[in-house]
Amino acid sequence: RRRRLLLTRTQAEVGADVGVTDQVIHKFECGAVRISARHLWSLSRALDVTPCYFFDGLDDVEMGFRETRSFNA
C-alpha cells in the first residue's frame, strides 16, 4: 500500500496492470489473501520495484526459514 500511495496510484490502476480487480489488490494490501509468485512479480513491475522490496526488513524467522544443519558423511 505504501508504495502504491507513494506513486499516487489507485487500487484499480494497479489491479489493471496486474490483471486482477481492485478488490483483490485491497485483499493483498490488508493480508486477507496470499499473493502468488506470479502476482508478486506483476505487482513489483506495476510498482516499479524488485520483488525483494516486499521482503525488506524481514528476518529469516519471520519469513519462515529454519536453521538447517549440514551433515558431513
Side-chain angles (χ1 to χ4, degrees):
R1 178 180 299 149
R2 179 177 31 221
R3 178 67 179 170
R4 178 180 60 78
L5 294 175
L6 182 67
L7 297 174
T8 62
R9 300 198 62 202
T10 66
Q11 290 176 339
E13 291 170 337
V14 173
D17 288 347
V18 174
V20 298
T21 65
D22 56 328
Q23 293 172 334
V24 173
I25 296 297
H26 174 75
K27 289 179 180 181
F28 287 164
E29 289 181 352
C30 68
V33 296
R34 292 183 179 196
I35 301 175
S36 69
R38 178 180 64 119
H39 286 133
L40 188 68
W41 178 260
S42 297
L43 279 169
S44 69
R45 304 268 312 199
L47 298 174
D48 196 29
V49 295
T50 66
C52 295
Y53 171 84
F54 301 107
F55 301 100
D56 283 350
L58 296 179
D59 63 20
D60 289 346
V61 174
E62 290 172 318
M63 291 183 63
F65 295 124
R66 293 184 294 241
E67 185 176 326
T68 58
R69 297 182 207 165
S70 61
F71 295 97
N72 296 327

